[in-house]
């Protein structure tokens, strides 16, 4: 029988590391869009979507705001659900030319990110998060 023993602090750190790794791509992408808005607006327009400037603002807010909230573990489950939906929608809208290997890779990356984010939805932010800190504070105040 294979038994894996893990240290409780190691187990507690894994969800935080996972959240940081997931959040990094959103934060990086949001900053990139904020620093080069014309390219993103052009990309949105090339997909045939209306209101490209509004789309840019929404994407920056979702990616930066959601990425930072996920990294810190603030309302992690609902934020992760929102980012998962955003990832699937952007895969379907912007990376749907699956005959192009580059687009296929981007499509699969977005789908994989959604899968990881759904793990946060299912299991929460973990011990090292502001969500958990808020829970501990409420428990101490109730005692």
């Amino acid at each position: 029988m294979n038994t894996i023993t893990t240290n409780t602090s190691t187990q507690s750190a894994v969800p935080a590391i996972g959240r940081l790794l997931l959040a990094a791509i959103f934060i990086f992408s949001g900053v990139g869009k904020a620093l080069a808005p014309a390219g993103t607006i052009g990309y949105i327009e090339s997909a045939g979507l209306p209101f490209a400037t509004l789309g840019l603002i929404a994407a920056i807010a979702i990616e930066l705001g959601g990425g930072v909230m996920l990294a810190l573990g603030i309302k992690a489950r609902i934020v992760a659900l929102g980012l998962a939906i955003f990832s699937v929608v952007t895969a379907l809208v912007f990376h749907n030319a699956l005959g192009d290997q580059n687009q296929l890779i981007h499509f699969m990356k977005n789908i994989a990110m959604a899968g990881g984010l759904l793990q946060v939805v299912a299991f929460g932010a973990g011990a090292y998060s502001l969500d958990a800190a808020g829970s501990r504070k409420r428990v101490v105040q109730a005692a």
Side-chain angles (χ1 to χ4, degrees):
M1 179 174 179
N2 255 341
T3 306
I4 298 173
T5 57
T6 54
N7 175 318
T8 303
S9 64
T10 302
Q11 280 182 318
S12 296
V14 171
I17 294 166
R19 282 193 340 269
L20 289 172
L21 293 173
L22 282 167
I25 196 165
F26 291 102
I27 294 168
F28 184 80
S29 184
V31 168
K33 284 174 177 63
L35 295 177
T40 302
I41 289 171
Y43 192 55
I44 293 169
E45 289 172 340
S46 75
L49 297 175
F51 311 112
T53 301
L54 186 60
L56 168 70
I57 293 166
I60 292 169
I62 290 166
E63 290 177 346
L64 271 180
V68 169
M69 289 177 76
L70 182 65
L72 297 174
I74 300 170
K75 303 285 185 194
R77 288 178 189 235
I78 191 72
V79 168
L81 180 59
L83 290 172
I85 293 167
F86 178 81
S87 296
V88 170
V89 169
T90 56
L92 294 170
V93 172
F94 294 105
H95 306 301
N96 56 19
L98 302 181
D100 176 344
Q101 184 163 357
N102 183 47
Q103 289 301 311
L104 176 62
I105 290 168
H106 283 292
F107 181 88
M108 294 305 298
K109 171 216 23 131
N110 280 40
I111 298 304
M113 290 184 329
L117 289 160
L118 290 176
Q119 292 292 306
V120 177
V121 173
F123 300 108
Y128 299 123
S129 67
L130 291 177
D131 285 351
S135 292
R136 287 189 297 269
K137 187 176 180 180
R138 284 189 298 274
V139 169
V140 170
Q141 288 175 347

